[in-house]
Amino acid sequence: MSKKYRIAVVGAGMGGLLAATMLQRAGHACTVYEQAPRLNKVGAGINIAPNSTRIFRELGLERQMQAAGIRPRLKFSRAWNTGELLFTVPVPEMQERYGAPFQAFHRGALQEVLYRTLPAGTVQFGRRLAQMTQQPDEVHLDFEDGASAMADIVIGADGVHSRVREILFGVAPADYHGLVAYRALIRNSHLRPADNTKWWAPDRYVLVYYTTEARDEINLVTGSPQPWTHGDYQPRPASVDDLLATFGDFHEEVQEVLKAATEITCWPMLERDPFSPWSSGRAVLLGDACHPTTPHMGQGAGMAFEDAVVLARCIDEFPDPGVAFQRYESARYARTARIQRDSHANEWTKKDMDADWVYGYDAMTVALE
Ligand code: FAD
C-alpha cells in the first residue's frame, strides 16, 4: 500500500486544484492555500485541448466541463487584412482522432468546476505564503496573515511569480517575451463572429472565440510587440483605443469585435528558459511555477494539468518523496521544455501542422520510468 502524506498545495489555480483532487482521491490529506480572499472570476477565456479534456473525462468530470464551456464546431486561421482562410480545423474530427474534445471556457468557470470537486474546507483562502522552512521530515509554512501550517510535502502551484520557487531557488523574475496580450470580453452582444478564429498578421494576432455554448460571451485575446515600461509584471487596465491603435488595420470583422470590447486588460507575456531541478527536499513545483510559457499555443494550463496528474501518480507510486519528485521531473521535463520552445516561436496553427504530439499525450498512462 502506498504511503499517505499531509500535503500542502500553494495556489488554487489550474494545476493546484487538479493536484488536490488527484491526491485526495489517492487518500492523502491535502490542503490548498490560496492568496485570493475568495474564488474570483479573474482572467478571461481559456482554450483547453484534448490532452487536458482527456484527464477531466477520466476523472468523471466530463459532464460538468461540458456545461461550463463550449465545444466549438470549427477553428479557423485567417489572414488579418483580407480574411483569406489559411486553414480550418473541424473540431469534431479532433474528438474522433484524440478521443477527447477541444473546449473553451471562461477561466473562472473552469476553476469553479475544479474547486467543486474538492470537499468543503480543502481550500483555505486569504493565505498568501510568506516563508517556508524545511526540516528533515516535514515543512513549516508561514502565511502573511500570521497563520502557519505543517506538511510532509509542499507543492508550489503558485504560478509564474511563484513564492515557493523563490524560497527554494532564489529571486529571479521571469523573462519578458517582448509581446503583450490584450484580453477582453464581450457579453450579450448582437455580434456573431465565427467560432474560434485566429487572425494572423506577420507580427501580431487577434484570437476571437466564444466561452459558452449559448454564445453569449465572446473572448478576445491578442499578441503584439510592445515594450513593457511598468515597474512590475502585473496586468494593467487597457482601453478600446489601445486595441484600435494596435489592430486598426485588421479586417472589418475584427474591428467590430474590438470596438465592442469590455473588461480590457493588458498582460506582459512571460516565460523562462527550461530549468532544473523542480524540487528541493520535500518541496516541488508544478505548472507556471517551473515552466512558464507564452500563451501562443494555448497550453500553459494544459501543462499544469498534466503535471498535476503525473506528480500525483509519482507521489503515490514511489514511497520516497525525493525519488517521486525526480521521476516526476524526468517524465515531464522534455515535453514542457518543447512546449516552451515551440510556443516561443509563435507559429502554432499558423498553418496546418502535426498536432499529435501535443494533443495525443495521456498523463494518466504515460510511463513514469
Ligand atoms: P495559476 O493558474 O496562475 O495559479 C496560481 C495560483 O497561485 C493563483 O490562484 C494565485 O493567486 C496563487 N498564488 C500565487 N502566489 C501565491 C502565494 N504566495 N500564496 C498563495 N497563493 C498564491 N493556457 C491554456 O492552457 N490555454 C489558453 O488558452 C491560455 N490562454 C492564456 C492567455 C493569456 C493572455 C495568458 C497570460 C495565459 C494563458 N494561458 C493559457 C496560460 C495559463 O493561464 C497558465 O499557464 C495557467 O493558469 C498556469 O496554471 P498554474 O496552476 O501553474 O498557475
Side-chain angles (χ1 to χ4, degrees):
M1 214 172 73
S2 66
K3 208 165 157 184
K4 300 304 171 198
Y5 295 106
R6 290 169 302 164
I7 301 180
V9 176
V10 182
M14 299 292 104
L17 289 173
L18 186 65
T21 299
M22 294 289 298
L23 291 163
Q24 286 198 342
R25 288 188 183 193
H28 302 282
C30 188
T31 305
V32 183
Y33 300 97
E34 166 59 43
Q35 65 177 359
R38 68 193 72 83
L39 206 64
N40 273 332
K41 216 178 167 191
V42 293
I46 193 160
N47 271 314
I48 297 296
N51 52 312
S52 299
T53 54
R54 178 176 298 117
I55 297 171
F56 304 141
R57 195 197 54 209
E58 288 176 28
L59 289 173
L61 299 175
E62 193 171 18
R63 189 181 47 77
Q64 295 93 312
M65 288 294 174
Q66 187 164 4
I70 177 172
R71 295 182 179 182
R73 286 188 282 271
L74 293 164
K75 271 163 62 58
F76 304 99
S77 274
R78 306 187 87 111
W80 85 101
N81 49 0
T82 60
E84 180 201 345
L85 199 58
L86 304 175
F87 82 98
T88 307
V89 180
V91 182
E93 278 178 23
M94 276 170 102
Q95 161 107 33
E96 270 168 44
R97 186 173 181 86
Y98 302 112
F102 183 95
Q103 275 196 263
F105 300 87
H106 188 293
R107 185 185 181 280
L110 174 59
Q111 191 180 23
E112 174 127 18
V113 173
L114 294 170
Y115 174 73
R116 299 251 168 259
T117 63
L118 294 167
T122 301
V123 181
Q124 293 193 12
F125 290 101
R127 297 265 189 268
R128 182 178 169 83
L129 181 75
Q131 202 42 269
M132 201 176 79
T133 319
Q134 298 216 36
Q135 285 138 22
D137 292 327
E138 57 187 359
V139 189
H140 184 99
L141 299 104
D142 287 308
F143 301 94
E144 284 189 359
D145 65 351
S148 61
M150 299 293 283
D152 304 315
I153 286 175
V154 173
I155 298 176
D158 48 348
V160 63
H161 305 295
S162 170
R163 177 70 186 133
V164 177
R165 200 200 67 81
E166 282 182 1
I167 295 167
L168 299 181
F169 304 118
V171 177
D175 302 321
Y176 177 47
H177 173 56
L179 269 69
V180 296
Y182 289 99
R183 302 176 97 170
L185 291 168
I186 299 153
R187 294 205 175 94
N188 302 316
S189 105
H190 65 282
L191 294 176
R192 282 289 171 272
D195 270 10
N196 223 300
T197 306
K198 194 159 183 178
W199 299 82
W200 288 91
D203 64 340
R204 288 159 296 153
Y205 64 78
V206 174
L207 171 62
V208 179
Y209 59 87
Y210 296 99
T211 61
T212 61
E213 207 65 61
R215 291 180 169 73
D216 55 5
E217 186 176 77
I218 300 166
N219 179 71
L220 172 77
V221 59
T222 70
S224 57
Q226 187 174 304
W228 189 262
T229 53
H230 311 289
D232 60 26
Y233 284 141
Q234 297 301 326
R236 326 275 305 178
S239 65
V240 169
D241 286 348
D242 295 325
L243 290 174
L244 294 175
T246 315
F247 305 103
D249 55 348
F250 273 53
H251 192 274
E252 199 178 304
E253 206 177 306
V254 182
Q255 299 297 319
E256 282 191 343
V257 177
L258 299 178
K259 284 178 192 157
T262 60
E263 300 178 40
I264 310 166
T265 47
C266 179
W267 297 59
M269 292 189 189
L270 301 175
E271 58 185 348
R272 283 184 198 279
D273 285 336
F275 71 86
S276 171
W278 292 354
S279 64
S280 174
R282 290 182 158 261
V284 62
L285 305 174
L286 67 69
D288 278 6
C290 51
H291 44 67
T293 179
T294 56
H296 305 312
M297 282 173 78
Q299 279 292 333
M303 292 304 104
F305 292 138
E306 292 179 3
D307 284 355
V309 171
V310 174
L311 177 58
R313 287 178 56 206
C314 287
I315 289 173
D316 216 39
E317 193 148 324
F318 303 105
D320 180 87
V323 174
F325 297 164
Q326 269 171 15
R327 295 295 173 106
Y328 153 67
E329 184 179 324
S330 43
R332 296 290 304 147
Y333 184 87
R335 176 168 173 82
T336 56
R338 185 172 175 194
I339 295 269
Q340 284 172 291
R341 282 192 287 264
D342 281 22
S343 185
H344 177 91
N346 188 15
E347 294 286 322
W348 187 253
T349 70
K350 201 172 205 168
K351 54 185 185 319
D352 205 359
M353 52 175 44
D354 171 27
D356 288 2
W357 71 273
V358 180
Y359 301 152
Y361 182 91
D362 188 348
M364 292 286 194
T365 58
V366 71
L368 301 180
E369 294 304 322

